[in-house]
Every structure is written in structure tokens, then in C-alpha cells.
Amino acid sequence: MNIEKTAAENFELLKNNVYPGRGIVQGLSKDGKKLVQIYWIMGRSENSRNRIFIEENGFVRTAPFNALKMKDPSLIIYYPVRFLNGCHIVSNGDQTDTVYEGLKKNICFVESLAARKFEPDAPNFTPRITGLIDLNDKQHIFHFSILRCTYGDGKACERLYFSYETVEPGFGFCVHTYEGDANPLPSFARCPYHVPLFDDNLEKYWNILNADNLVSLLVKTIDCETGKVEIKIKNVHE
């Protein structure tokens, strides 16, 4: 496998995807010194686009840009980023809290998410996508979960889990909620796929994601030696 060629092709596909929805990338910086988490949100309705990312002591939450215009906070206001004892969680919904509270009780990632399923937003039934970088797991550091509707009727949930020992420096694994734009929106149907990472991931990913739909994007780095965390955020509504 030529990871550089594959990642570049996948990056181009992501660029040409009008509506990948919400997305997660987890990987390793080009110099191999920092673990990387990227998360973005998209929206088409006024309610979905009326959001920003706000950092709070290493956590990140979504918040209304204009509180007076917020109609329905369910499914769009949550903490996409939390961490606890070397475990760094990123997700597209309030299942971040499910994993976080589970970690407090020594409940593993998979067991915690067994209590959740796809979002109740018929007819799309948006997948819940979750990533975890676990500095305590000496075998598999990168973890992903995709909880998606099996038959498109909102009845059965398909639970997919992926764990990776490592990734080549300068690359990451990517998942997102939708394959593209349609009605209803087609759920992400792939395994986590390789994408490139850059010296400035914030600008690179901001510039390739569809500008008409992108709302907010964050890049979190974790120093492999010290565990020091840095978070950079960019919002359409600055």
C-alpha cells in the first residue's frame, strides 16, 4: 500500500464531497512528536449554522453564536472534546459525555457506547462517530466507533469498532457522518480511511472542506512525551 498516494486521493475525495457532515481525524504529526485530533461540524439550516466552538480548560463545547436565534439545542449543543487520565475523546454528539462518564467508572470505550445508537433525526438517522486516543493502551492507541442505522428505517443499529496500533507520521484516519449530499443523507459507509496531516492542519482542512456548509473546525495536539495539549479553533462566526 502506498499510503502517501492513497491519503492524497482520499483528501481529494473529501475536498470534493459537498456534505461530509461532521468529521473526525486522528493521527500523528509529520515529525512524529504529537498525536493529532481534528473535528469539524457542518450545517445547512440556520439553527445548525448558528454555532461556534468554545474551549473550556482543555474541553471544547459547541455554543450558539446568537442565543436569540437558537431554536432546538438537541443534537447540536454538546461537548465534542473531553479528556480524562490520558484518554482523549472526540465525538459528534453527547456520547462524548457517555464515554467520559464511563472512563470515570473504569468502563471501556466499547462498553460505554453499547448504551447508545445513531441519532434520532429521521429520515437521516445520522451515525454517531466517536474517536479515542488512549495513551494508556500500549497496543492500540487509536480507537474509532461508528454507530449507524442498519437498514435506514430507524429500527436496528449497526455497531462498528476499529482499533489501530499506530499510523505513519504525517497521516491520520478519517471518518465522517455522510457519504455526500442527498435526501435522505447517506450514512458514512467506509472504514476509517487514511488522510494526510500537515504543519498547519487548521488551515489545510478549513480550506478544503466545503465553504458553504462548514461551520467550525478544531485541531487538538497531544505531545507524545509530555502529554501537553494544545487546541486551535476556527469558527465561521468569529
Side-chain angles (χ1 to χ4, degrees):
M1 175 184 177
N2 185 331
I3 187 174
E4 187 171 355
K5 180 176 182 292
T6 299
E9 291 172 349
N10 287 334
F11 195 65
E12 189 67 19
L13 289 173
L14 182 61
K15 178 181 178 180
N16 293 327
N17 188 338
V18 174
Y19 204 68
R22 287 161 279 173
I24 295 171
V25 176
Q26 295 190 128
L28 189 61
S29 64
K30 291 175 68 176
D31 61 9
K33 295 181 179 180
K34 293 181 179 180
L35 297 158
V36 179
Q37 287 181 324
I38 300 171
Y39 179 64
W40 70 80
I41 59 174
M42 289 186 159
R44 294 178 297 185
S45 69
E46 182 182 27
N47 197 45
S48 292
R49 295 190 61 79
N50 180 34
R51 289 184 290 171
I52 56 175
F53 285 157
I54 295 177
E55 182 182 357
E56 292 181 341
N57 300 317
F59 293 175
V60 176
R61 64 181 174 91
T62 62
F65 173 67
N66 184 337
L68 297 178
K69 292 184 177 182
M70 179 58 62
K71 297 175 182 177
D72 180 7
S74 65
L75 300 181
I76 64 171
I77 300 299
Y78 56 91
Y79 280 88
V81 170
R82 287 188 184 269
F83 69 93
L84 181 72
N85 298 331
C87 294
H88 297 265
I89 313 156
V90 56
S91 94
N92 72 326
D94 64 8
Q95 72 268 26
T96 305
D97 295 340
T98 303
V99 175
Y100 179 73
E101 294 300 325
L103 290 172
K104 287 182 178 180
K105 301 172 184 176
N106 294 317
I107 299 174
C108 74
F109 179 70
V110 173
E111 189 177 348
S112 289
L113 288 170
R116 305 304 304 270
K117 63 178 185 177
F118 49 83
E119 295 182 351
D121 60 338
N124 298 313
F125 301 112
T126 299
R128 289 190 186 272
I129 55 173
T130 308
L132 178 72
I133 290 180
D134 186 353
L135 302 181
N136 306 303
D137 190 332
K138 302 305 180 185
Q139 184 175 7
H140 300 101
I141 193 168
F142 300 106
H143 302 266
F144 287 90
S145 167
I146 304 171
L147 308 179
R148 66 190 180 202
C149 185
T150 308
Y151 302 113
D153 57 5
K155 295 179 180 179
C157 183
E158 176 170 65
R159 303 174 182 277
L160 307 176
Y161 299 96
F162 305 87
S163 295
Y164 301 92
E165 293 182 3
T166 188
V167 68
E168 291 292 319
F171 298 95
F173 301 99
C174 178
V175 299
H176 40 85
T177 52
Y178 308 123
E179 287 293 323
D181 194 9
N183 188 21
L185 289 162
S187 293
F188 181 75
R190 303 172 64 182
C191 298
Y193 61 82
H194 284 101
V195 288
L197 293 177
F198 307 91
D199 291 330
D200 190 349
N201 290 302
L202 191 73
E203 291 302 321
K204 284 287 187 180
Y205 275 84
W206 184 268
N207 290 333
I208 67 109
L209 291 166
N210 185 272
D212 292 333
N213 295 312
L214 186 58
V215 175
S216 295
L217 187 146
L218 68 86
V219 176
K220 175 178 175 177
T221 58
I222 307 152
D223 190 283
C224 293
E225 288 191 6
T226 66
K228 181 180 178 182
V229 168
E230 181 180 8
I231 296 175
K232 295 181 180 179
I233 288 172
K234 190 165 185 175
N235 297 303
V236 166
H237 303 294
E238 294 287 3

